[in-house]
């Protein structure tokens, strides 16, 4: 038995943002629009506010989300929500503003949420999850709450064409990680399997093109769909070891989420491989490989390494992380990874020692 949870409504397509105004107008009277400075500068927030004005929806814009949200940013946004008399939240941007919108909604008695991704990655627009870093302890907390699944998700690929290469790579790898983790999760379902395989194929086919030429609207469209599909996957089948180990790297060393996933993905999946060889083989076959389970699974890992090279995923060392500092924090990181619960969804049993070994392997050539 399984159930599938998805956003109340999803609008997909070029300029979906202008089509969404009527749906948004039904969510409340005064929206708190949560975003970041870069998204605002790119003119995307204005696209939304122009559209809301046409629909007669009043709004207040909050653009002080700087990177992945912590409790202080959320509190600042919540304060504006209260003082401006808002009754709904719109998160527009990458995963961070969308997660912030969820946090503000939860702190406001679950105000209705509309989410508009401008990067193809987090899948936050399709999930019950959000991350907030506890500033006092530098611990990135994953919060699971079905009540923050948005009432409305707006997938408009034209919003992602200005994303720079580094963001395209990081977010695209986040989407791929979601899909592969969900497909190899203990919680995988026949429904999420369909979305996962579809998302994996789209990412392998279109991420290099979106990375190479951000204006390639077909590639951007395919990646936006992949991110959404992968979001539906994790919403219902969860993430596993990669995300469990990735969050502490993000919290302690401020590596962008998608990049730390990408640094970890091959090694974590290689650890899990013999726990579900047939699943990794199925991914290889979906990518066009023929042969035995082992051959197809191995081919998937080669494709994965190639993709990381093509989109220039750095190592921890190349990213500028201090090895000694990393090793010093490793014990806490392994504890935090396990405590998140995500490693427990891995199809193979994971111990703290396994996690420490994988962290160490990130430093091997
Ligand atoms: Fe993620």
């Amino acid at each position: 038995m399984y159930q599938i949870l998805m956003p109340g409504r999803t609008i997909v397509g070029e300029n979906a943002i202008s089509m969404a105004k009527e749906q948004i107008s039904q969510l409340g009277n005064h929206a708190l629009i949560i975003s970041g400075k870069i998204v605002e500068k790119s003119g995307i927030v204005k696209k939304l506010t122009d559209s809301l004005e046409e629909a007669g929806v009043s709004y207040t814009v909050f653009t002080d989300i700087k990177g992945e949200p912590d409790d202080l940013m959320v509190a600042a946004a919540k304060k504006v929500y209260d003082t401006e008399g808002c009754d709904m939240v719109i998160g527009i941007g990458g995963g961070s503003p969308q997660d912030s919108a969820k946090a503000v909604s939860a702190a406001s008695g679950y105000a209705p949420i509309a989410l508009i991704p401008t990067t193809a990655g987090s899948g936050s627009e399709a999930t019950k999850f959000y991350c907030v870093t506890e500033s006092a302890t530098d611990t990135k907390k994953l919060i699971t709450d079905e009540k923050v699944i948005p009432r409305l998700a707006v997938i408009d690929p034209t919003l992602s064409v200005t994303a720079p290469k580094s963001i395209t790579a990081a977010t695209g790898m986040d989407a791929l990680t979601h899909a592969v983790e969900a497909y190899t999760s203990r919680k995988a379902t026949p429904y999420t399997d369909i979305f996962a395989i579809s998302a994996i194929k789209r990412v392998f086919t279109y991420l290099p093109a979106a990375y190479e030429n951000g204006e390639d609207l077909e590639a951007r469209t395919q990646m936006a769909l992949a991110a959404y599909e992968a979001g539906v996957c994790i919403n219902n089948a969860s993430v596993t070891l990669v995300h469990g180990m990735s969050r502490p790297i993000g919290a302690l060393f401020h590596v962008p989420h998608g990049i730390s996933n990408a640094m970890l993905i091959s090694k974590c999946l290689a650890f899990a491989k013999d726990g579900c060889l047939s699943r990794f083989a199925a991914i290889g076959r979906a990518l066009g490989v023929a042969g035995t389970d082992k051959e197809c699974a191995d081919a998937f890992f080669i494709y994965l390494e190639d993709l990381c090279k093509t989109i220039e995923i750095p190592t921890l060392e190349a990213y500028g992380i201090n090895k000694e500092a990393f090793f010093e924090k490793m014990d806490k990181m392994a504890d935090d990874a396990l405590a998140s619960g995500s490693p427990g969804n891995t199809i193979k049993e994971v111990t703290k020692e396994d996690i420490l070994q994988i962290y160490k392997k990130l430093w091997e050539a």
Side-chain angles (χ1 to χ4, degrees):
M1 188 172 67
Y2 61 92
Q3 60 173 355
I4 299 297
L5 296 172
M6 292 173 77
R9 182 188 301 263
T10 304
I11 301 175
V12 186
E14 286 173 38
N15 298 315
I17 194 168
S18 51
M19 230 181 90
K21 56 183 179 286
E22 271 149 42
Q23 297 302 328
I24 291 173
S25 73
Q26 290 172 22
L27 298 181
N29 295 312
H30 190 106
L32 179 66
I33 297 172
I34 300 180
S35 193
K37 297 271 185 263
I38 295 170
V39 178
E40 188 185 34
K41 246 187 172 171
S42 71
I44 291 171
V45 174
K46 188 170 184 310
K47 249 186 176 178
L48 172 64
T49 54
D50 284 353
S51 169
L52 292 186
E53 277 168 23
E54 274 172 36
V57 179
S58 64
Y59 59 84
T60 301
V61 178
F62 178 92
T63 55
D64 278 341
I65 303 301
K66 306 169 191 106
E68 293 173 15
D70 62 22
D71 42 7
L72 304 175
M73 288 182 221
V74 172
K78 163 69 176 151
K79 200 172 163 201
V80 175
Y81 179 94
D82 289 336
T83 52
E84 297 291 322
C86 300
D87 59 1
M88 64 167 141
V89 285
I90 303 175
I92 180 163
S96 298
Q98 294 184 68
D99 279 13
S100 305
K102 291 175 176 177
V104 171
S105 165
S108 312
Y110 297 102
I113 306 172
L115 296 179
I116 309 172
T118 60
T119 58
S122 76
S124 187
E125 72 276 9
T127 76
K128 59 190 171 190
F129 305 113
Y130 60 104
C131 285
V132 177
T133 297
E134 206 177 74
S135 50
T137 57
D138 248 359
T139 308
K140 192 170 169 178
K141 299 267 183 216
L142 169 69
I143 299 133
T144 303
D145 185 345
E146 287 179 8
K147 296 200 200 78
V148 303
I149 297 175
R151 293 264 293 274
L152 177 67
V154 181
I155 316 295
D156 184 342
T158 63
L159 304 181
S160 63
V161 294
T162 54
K165 279 186 155 198
S166 59
I167 300 283
T168 303
T171 53
M173 285 306 290
D174 191 26
L176 179 66
T177 308
H178 293 160
V180 178
E181 287 197 277
Y183 191 70
T184 57
S185 162
R186 285 182 199 273
K187 295 182 183 164
T189 69
Y191 193 94
T192 53
D193 286 351
I194 294 166
F195 272 58
I197 291 291
S198 172
I200 292 166
K201 283 163 75 170
R202 288 189 212 273
V203 173
F204 274 100
T205 313
Y206 290 100
L207 179 53
Y211 180 74
E212 188 52 43
N213 173 16
E215 310 244 313
D216 182 336
L217 199 55
E218 173 64 9
R220 292 293 197 184
T221 300
Q222 294 292 332
M223 286 305 300
L225 288 172
Y228 179 80
E229 288 170 332
V232 172
C233 287
I234 58 168
N235 200 39
N236 297 285
S238 292
V239 287
T240 63
L241 183 59
V242 189
H243 270 70
M245 290 182 62
S246 177
R247 286 183 213 105
I249 297 181
L252 292 170
F253 297 98
H254 307 285
V255 177
H257 173 68
I259 296 291
S260 53
N261 283 340
M263 289 168 169
L264 282 159
I265 187 169
S266 284
K267 297 198 165 54
C268 289
L269 295 179
F271 167 83
K273 187 171 142 192
D274 58 0
C276 55
L277 189 69
S278 62
R279 291 236 143 202
F280 286 107
I283 297 173
R285 290 191 182 101
L287 297 175
V289 184
T292 63
D293 274 6
K294 189 178 175 309
E295 285 163 350
C296 293
D298 287 349
F300 160 64
F301 280 87
I302 291 166
Y303 284 179
L304 187 57
E305 300 267 351
D306 283 351
L307 179 63
C308 288
K309 268 189 210 132
T310 305
I311 61 169
E312 299 169 277
I313 299 297
T315 60
L316 282 169
E317 196 174 10
Y319 193 78
I321 306 295
N322 180 285
K323 186 175 178 181
E324 264 170 40
F326 189 92
F327 273 68
E328 246 168 55
K329 299 275 190 188
M330 219 156 63
D331 200 71
K332 173 183 163 46
M333 287 162 58
D335 285 338
D336 289 350
L338 272 177
S340 75
S342 302
N345 299 322
T346 309
I347 205 106
K348 187 172 154 184
E349 204 191 323
V350 185
T351 65
K352 182 176 172 182
E353 189 49 39
D354 295 327
I355 290 178
L356 289 169
Q357 287 305 324
I358 296 170
Y359 276 140
K360 284 178 198 159
K361 274 190 189 159
L362 297 181
W363 292 91
E364 289 168 10

